[in-house]
Amino acid sequence: MNCLVSGANFLLKAIRHEAFTHMEGHKEFVQIDQNDLFPYLLVNIGSGVSMIKVDGDGQFQRVSGTNVGGGTYWGLGRLLTKCKSFDELLELSQRGDNSTIDMLVGDIYGGMDYSKIGLSASTIASSFGKTISENKDLEDYKPEDISLSLLRMISYNIGQIAYLNALRFGLKRIFFGGFFIRGHAYTMDTISFAVQFWSKGDAQAMFLRHEGFLGALGAFMSYEKHGLDDLMVHHLVERFPMGAPYIGGNVHGPPLGDLNEKISWMEKFVRKGTEITAPVPMAPPATTGLGGFEVPSSKGVLRSDASKLNVGVLHLVPSLEVFPLLADPKTYEPNTIDLSDHGELEYWFTVLSEHLSDLVDKAVASEGGTDDAKRRGDAFARAFSAHLARLMEEPAAYGKLGLANLLELREECLREFHFFDAYRTIKQRENEASLAVLPDLLMELDSLTEDMRLLTLIEGVLAANIFDWGSRACVDLYHKGTIIEIYRMSRKKMQRPWRVDDFDAFKGRMLGSGDRKPQPHKRALLFVDNSGADIVLGMLPLARELLRRGTEVVLVANSLPALNDVTAMELPDIVAEAAKHCDILRGAAEAGGLLVDAMSNIQDGYKENTPSVPLMVVENGCGSPCIDLRQVSSELAAAAKDADLVILEGMGRSLHTNYNAKFKCDALKLAMVKNQRLAAKLVKGNIYDCVCRYEPAS
């Protein structure tokens, strides 16, 4: 029982989309506030049913139960239907019609509701009651009807007793777990109906995605040899895949006993690809009753997740924290696009599928085009396609689904098959080409008035954001000219007003008006996007302008590669190259520790005049084109505490996610829209429209 409660507490804290409601086939995830988790009623449905009042970690009491549970359903079901397994019995119930066996209210009252006491005609008056008055033997009833009648009888009974116990102890939350539920939609609907009916809508039944694993998880968490009893679970997260530099079934990082107090867990839905030695055929669907991927029967066979349980692998990762500048973390939703709309879901699945072959080509080329790389590329395509097919069938299979999750899943699948940076050579080439023209751009900027320079800088960021290998429209552009030619063409088209144009408000905050000069920002966090022109000709010149005004600048970049996005590991080299052509960048990079040793061509006199305002780089804790600000690196969280300006750049970080995010400080969101559907839905515009959205501190 202790393990059961420990497992439930852990999951409700560790997995963001662990709890959900299920009514009439509709699943809706519930965000649980860790500070308001206790007390709750845990209803564990196994062979029998235990009802446990949980008051805190290690504080619980079994307050009730019933001997009518999963064992009753299976036992009676075996006798009455001859089914050989629990799953077979559940599957049978999906084709059943309980009205042939159960006596309904309508059977008693001439097919009508008994509205005076709130009973509909379809309400069960007596389970199996209709069989009393019919001259039939067991063989005359369909096994599927018997199975469904049994399921409803037992589920209703459990739901009613659970609610009465919650009422008895004044508990707001009722969580149902145990392996009886099995992710079975009708079982959850029946329990939910019972709780809603008896509570007159005041209470809701909630279910757990990992309901069959509470005891096992609790046992693991309490196992002293792992040192887990000494760890504090801090800002626990559940994500679609992300994070570790190597993907597999093991815990990554230092031994568990050596970890700091702040730890994070994440659930991944991929399997390691180290044993893939041949093209990978998908196994035919099979119900295992265990969920997740089956163990391969031989090397090179990747099994699809055929069960409805969708169990991932929990990984221990470096601490991820809530971004401290979010105005209200409780209401923050990173995803802008609502994928609960089936048409929207189908569209983005099609986009990802159409981009897949090009991505595989890039990935294979990044590994030298070897036969091994081709095999792994084929395996990646099959695995990612299988995930898309699974999510198309059941969008909530891996938790609440957003576009950011899909893009992250793709990157994690690439890493699963050891493609750690598919765009490495492309990024290097574009960085070199952009750095070659940076000196001329800086000279042009320095020749402008203050007003014109700021406008030109913002135009430059928007124009350079055109370089995005994640956009089909932009990939087509690459065949029409060099990176510099495309950048210049894009700059020429930067005509105001832009589709979303708050530049004047931003300019007012930066430059003031008349004799009133505002104080410069203390520290700016610049969330950068792509390599090449985007970072070199767009964001670095903007960072330079902020530094010139006395603002500390922190460049925030991905921890891991994703498409052609620049990473925190790559940025110091780019800054060092840019600093060779700019005293401002050079001095700030030195002050920020990006240039450890003074460059040989710097004179002592210059060093004395070097500004103390630093330019720094931090990783964001992410390996995706988007970012969920509920889970960022500890380094970024620490850097944000003194920041009073956030600049989010690029479609992934400022449109696909965070377009509606509110911050405690000033925020500027900059992007070129490179998808026609997104342009139409989000800003009611067209492809290549620009967004310059400025929002003062909330």
Side-chain angles (χ1 to χ4, degrees):
M1 200 71 73
N2 185 52
C3 291
L4 189 74
V5 173
S6 295
N9 286 344
F10 171 78
L11 285 169
L12 287 167
K13 294 176 183 177
I15 309 300
R16 174 166 284 118
H17 298 141
E18 178 63 29
F20 61 92
T21 59
H22 203 288
M23 282 291 288
E24 298 180 354
H26 177 68
K27 178 188 286 188
E28 185 171 332
F29 289 98
V30 178
Q31 183 62 45
I32 304 296
D33 182 355
Q34 293 186 37
N35 299 318
D36 191 33
L37 173 59
F38 306 111
Y40 67 83
L41 187 70
L42 176 61
V43 182
N44 189 62
I45 313 173
S47 300
V49 183
S50 285
M51 300 189 184
I52 307 158
K53 179 175 176 281
V54 183
D55 293 304
D57 291 317
Q59 301 174 34
F60 63 90
Q61 178 187 3
R62 186 181 187 276
V63 294
S64 187
T66 171
N67 58 353
V68 179
T72 313
Y73 177 58
W74 192 358
L76 285 174
R78 277 192 72 184
L79 293 174
L80 296 174
T81 69
K82 310 303 180 186
C83 283
K84 302 300 182 186
S85 74
F86 191 88
D87 285 333
E88 185 184 355
L89 191 62
L90 273 180
E91 208 169 294
L92 200 63
S93 71
Q94 294 180 185
R95 306 191 299 272
D97 177 5
N98 70 298
S99 66
T100 65
I101 291 176
D102 294 337
M103 183 181 292
L104 309 181
V105 168
D107 296 326
I108 301 172
Y109 295 101
M112 299 176 66
D113 297 340
Y114 193 172
S115 55
K116 281 186 179 181
I117 57 174
L119 296 176
S120 69
S122 60
T123 300
I124 297 172
S126 174
S127 294
F128 285 82
K130 198 171 284 186
T131 63
I132 299 170
S133 57
E134 295 178 336
N135 188 23
K136 292 182 180 179
D137 294 323
L138 178 62
E139 294 76 18
D140 296 323
Y141 293 97
K142 293 180 180 179
E144 49 265 47
D145 297 344
I146 294 172
S147 176
L148 180 59
S149 181
L150 264 178
L151 179 65
R152 294 190 72 167
M153 178 181 75
I154 291 167
S155 298
Y156 279 149
N157 182 263
I158 293 170
Q160 180 181 8
I161 296 173
Y163 167 67
L164 292 174
N165 274 283
L167 185 65
R168 174 187 170 199
F169 292 101
L171 303 177
K172 295 184 295 182
R173 294 194 180 92
I174 311 172
F175 295 106
F176 290 84
F179 223 24
F180 166 73
I181 297 171
R182 263 327 203 275
H184 188 242
Y186 197 85
T187 304
M188 293 186 287
D189 277 352
T190 306
I191 292 173
S192 295
F193 177 83
V195 171
Q196 185 186 52
F197 179 84
W198 290 107
S199 73
K200 293 181 170 57
D202 290 340
Q204 279 186 311
M206 287 186 279
F207 304 92
L208 305 174
R209 284 206 300 119
H210 304 91
E211 77 256 340
F213 299 88
L214 305 186
L217 262 175
F220 174 71
M221 296 302 293
S222 63
Y223 188 45
E224 290 185 4
K225 287 184 181 179
H226 286 275
L228 290 168
D229 52 329
D230 297 325
L231 295 177
M232 283 178 57
V233 180
H234 176 80
H235 289 303
L236 296 156
V237 298
E238 185 263 355
R239 305 174 69 167
F240 272 58
M242 202 291 301
Y246 171 81
I247 307 307
N250 300 319
V251 171
H252 306 294
L256 296 183
D258 297 337
L259 290 168
N260 296 326
E261 283 189 348
K262 290 185 178 182
I263 64 170
S264 302
W265 296 85
M266 67 176 64
E267 183 181 11
K268 300 182 181 182
F269 297 90
V270 294
R271 217 187 138 69
K272 66 177 182 179
T274 54
E275 296 182 347
I276 300 298
T277 56
V280 185
M282 295 307 299
T287 301
T288 65
L290 295 176
F293 288 96
E294 296 177 6
V295 176
S297 57
S298 62
K299 285 190 176 183
V301 179
L302 181 70
R303 305 277 180 163
S304 64
D305 181 356
S307 84
K308 302 294 184 185
L309 297 173
N310 310 299
V311 178
V313 178
L314 276 177
H315 288 240
L316 200 61
V317 297
S319 178
L320 297 170
E321 304 185 31
V322 175
F323 188 59
L325 294 178
L326 285 175
D328 186 0
K330 289 183 181 179
T331 60
Y332 168 76
E333 168 55 49
N335 289 291
T336 307
I337 304 299
D338 182 10
L339 293 188
S340 62
D341 181 309
H342 186 77
E344 203 68 39
L345 182 70
E346 194 169 16
Y347 170 78
W348 288 105
F349 274 34
T350 301
V351 168
L352 290 172
S353 297
E354 289 176 348
H355 186 239
L356 192 55
S357 61
D358 184 65
L359 182 57
V360 170
D361 290 343
K362 295 287 187 303
V364 171
S366 74
E367 298 287 324
T370 63
D371 288 342
D372 174 65
K374 291 175 182 176
R375 284 193 291 267
R376 286 186 285 120
D378 182 60
F380 155 70
R382 291 169 182 267
F384 185 57
S385 296
H387 281 297
L388 290 181
R390 178 74 191 90
L391 289 168
M392 195 67 198
E393 174 192 349
E394 187 183 347
Y398 299 167
K400 188 175 180 180
L401 182 62
L403 185 56
N405 308 118
L406 287 176
L407 297 175
E408 196 170 27
L409 178 60
R410 180 183 63 188
E411 298 304 321
E412 191 72 16
C413 278
L414 279 169
R415 289 188 282 270
E416 176 191 3
F417 293 100
H418 290 195
F419 294 111
F420 298 117
D421 195 353
Y423 288 81
R424 184 192 308 113
T425 55
I426 293 173
K427 290 192 293 183
Q428 290 172 347
R429 184 174 67 245
E430 293 186 355
N431 286 337
E432 290 170 3
S434 301
L435 285 164
V437 300
L438 178 62
D440 291 340
L441 175 61
L442 297 182
M443 286 180 62
E444 175 193 338
L445 289 168
D446 289 342
S447 69
L448 300 174
T449 63
E450 191 177 48
D451 286 26
M452 279 303 300
R453 186 166 66 240
L454 185 61
L455 175 59
T456 305
L457 283 164
I458 298 301
E459 286 178 342
V461 171
L462 295 172
N465 192 234
I466 197 171
F467 298 99
D468 187 345
W469 282 92
S471 164
R472 169 59 60 187
C474 295
V475 171
D476 293 340
L477 278 177
Y478 281 91
H479 303 298
K480 299 178 181 178
T482 66
I483 181 173
I484 301 306
E485 289 170 343
I486 297 169
Y487 170 71
R488 286 173 178 157
M489 174 200 71
S490 183
R491 276 279 301 273
K492 289 178 182 177
K493 293 184 177 180
M494 287 293 112
Q495 299 296 320
R496 293 186 66 198
W498 302 312
R499 194 65 196 177
V500 177
D501 193 338
D502 295 333
F503 173 77
D504 290 337
F506 178 65
K507 173 185 167 185
R509 170 61 184 86
M510 291 289 289
L511 306 182
S513 58
D515 296 331
R516 187 173 55 85
K517 294 293 181 183
Q519 284 291 320
H521 291 96
K522 181 179 178 182
R523 175 179 289 179
L525 302 180
L526 275 60
F527 287 76
V528 297
D529 190 9
N530 305 302
S531 294
D534 201 354
I535 178 65
V536 176
L537 305 180
M539 291 300 278
L540 268 184
L542 180 58
R544 175 179 178 261
E545 182 67 18
L546 290 165
L547 291 165
R548 186 204 296 263
R549 295 176 177 279
T551 300
E552 295 180 1
V553 174
V554 181
L555 300 177
V556 184
N558 268 13
S559 300
L560 295 174
L563 294 173
N564 63 319
D565 289 3
V566 68
T567 67
M569 187 173 291
E570 295 162 346
L571 267 177
D573 288 341
I574 295 173
V575 170
E577 284 299 311
K580 293 178 181 178
H581 311 291
C582 175
D583 291 347
I584 297 173
L585 288 176
R586 184 185 304 135
E590 282 188 17
L594 295 180
L595 301 179
V596 178
D597 298 315
M599 293 184 174
S600 58
N601 61 342
I602 299 179
Q603 302 299 318
D604 290 342
Y606 167 75
K607 290 184 195 176
E608 292 174 4
N609 297 321
T610 299
S612 59
V613 179
L615 172 63
M616 297 164 281
V617 171
V618 299
E619 58 178 303
N620 59 17
C622 181
S624 163
C626 301
I627 188 167
D628 182 344
L629 293 173
R630 292 170 301 194
Q631 39 205 40
V632 302
S633 70
S634 296
E635 294 81 2
L636 173 54
K641 288 175 183 175
D642 294 324
D644 51 1
L645 174 62
V646 167
I647 299 180
L648 291 160
E649 184 241 354
M651 279 212 313
R653 293 163 189 83
S654 65
L655 297 185
H656 290 318
T657 54
N658 301 304
Y659 186 69
N660 299 315
K662 302 296 182 185
F663 297 92
K664 296 176 182 176
C665 64
D666 294 349
L668 181 65
K669 300 167 186 177
L670 299 169
M672 178 182 285
V673 191
K674 291 152 288 193
N675 176 279
Q676 180 57 52
R677 188 181 183 97
L678 184 68
K681 289 186 75 72
L682 193 61
V683 297
K684 296 180 172 54
N686 296 302
I687 193 167
Y688 303 130
D689 276 347
C690 291
V691 172
C692 174
R693 190 177 192 182
Y694 173 67
E695 296 160 330
S698 296

